[in-house]
Amino acid sequence: MAEVEQLSEELTTLKRVVQTSLHRGQLAKGVHEVCKAIESKQAKFVVLADDCTEETYKKLIVALAKQFQIPVWRVEKGALLGEWIGISKFLTKTKKIKSRKCSSVAIKDFAIEVSENEKLFVENKIKGL
């Protein structure tokens, strides 16, 4: 039970970091922007969806991140990332019309809205990756 709560807390914190970074222009999304952020060493960490069907895509992101020593945080579903960055379409807040996936995002910097506790939590998590 505690494991489920911890996973939920991780996803909630990650969602907040991704969304605030998006609104502050500190988020790279998609293969081109993520690779560019990694190569220019602007990315603090990368979030990669495990359900990405393109294996070469995943290998490219992981290899580049490893080469430039940038941690990769894996999430289970790309649809979750798609919702977080606003590319899924909703009729209401709870009724989804179309689910669109996003396979990777790179966090360039933490937004000012992210609390110190959230920042420390994420930094400790990515140290362990």
Side-chain angles (χ1 to χ4, degrees):
M1 191 69 166
E3 203 172 287
V4 173
E5 288 177 15
Q6 182 182 359
L7 182 63
S8 176
E9 181 184 344
E10 282 181 12
L11 288 178
T12 303
T13 304
L14 181 60
K15 176 182 178 179
R16 178 157 164 69
V17 169
V18 167
Q19 287 180 334
T20 55
S21 295
L22 173 69
H23 294 297
R24 290 291 178 183
Q26 297 297 323
L27 184 82
K29 53 192 179 287
V31 69
H32 180 71
E33 288 182 25
V34 171
C35 288
K36 195 169 154 184
I38 292 171
E39 290 173 341
S40 64
K41 296 185 180 180
Q42 290 180 325
K44 288 202 178 287
F45 67 96
V46 174
V47 182
L48 180 66
D50 281 334
D51 68 343
C52 176
T53 56
E54 194 66 41
E55 286 300 316
T56 54
Y57 182 103
K58 290 196 290 191
K59 286 179 183 177
L60 172 67
I61 298 295
V62 171
L64 267 178
K66 187 175 182 181
Q67 179 182 352
F68 289 95
Q69 299 167 348
I70 295 173
V72 177
W73 187 330
R74 293 180 177 265
V75 294
E76 210 171 290
K77 299 185 185 250
L80 197 61
L81 276 178
E83 284 180 30
W84 293 352
I85 65 170
I87 61 174
S88 293
K89 304 229 186 251
F90 288 88
L91 186 57
T92 63
K93 284 191 174 193
T94 56
K95 187 172 181 181
K96 191 184 308 184
I97 295 174
K98 185 175 182 179
S99 179
R100 294 185 61 201
K101 293 181 181 181
C102 177
S103 295
S104 64
V105 295
I107 307 298
K108 295 179 186 176
D109 201 6
F110 293 105
I112 57 173
E113 293 88 0
V114 176
S115 71
E116 283 300 314
N117 288 341
E118 291 171 326
K119 197 182 289 188
L120 284 172
F121 179 82
V122 170
E123 286 173 346
N124 289 335
K125 173 71 178 173
I126 61 177
K127 282 180 186 174
L129 296 176

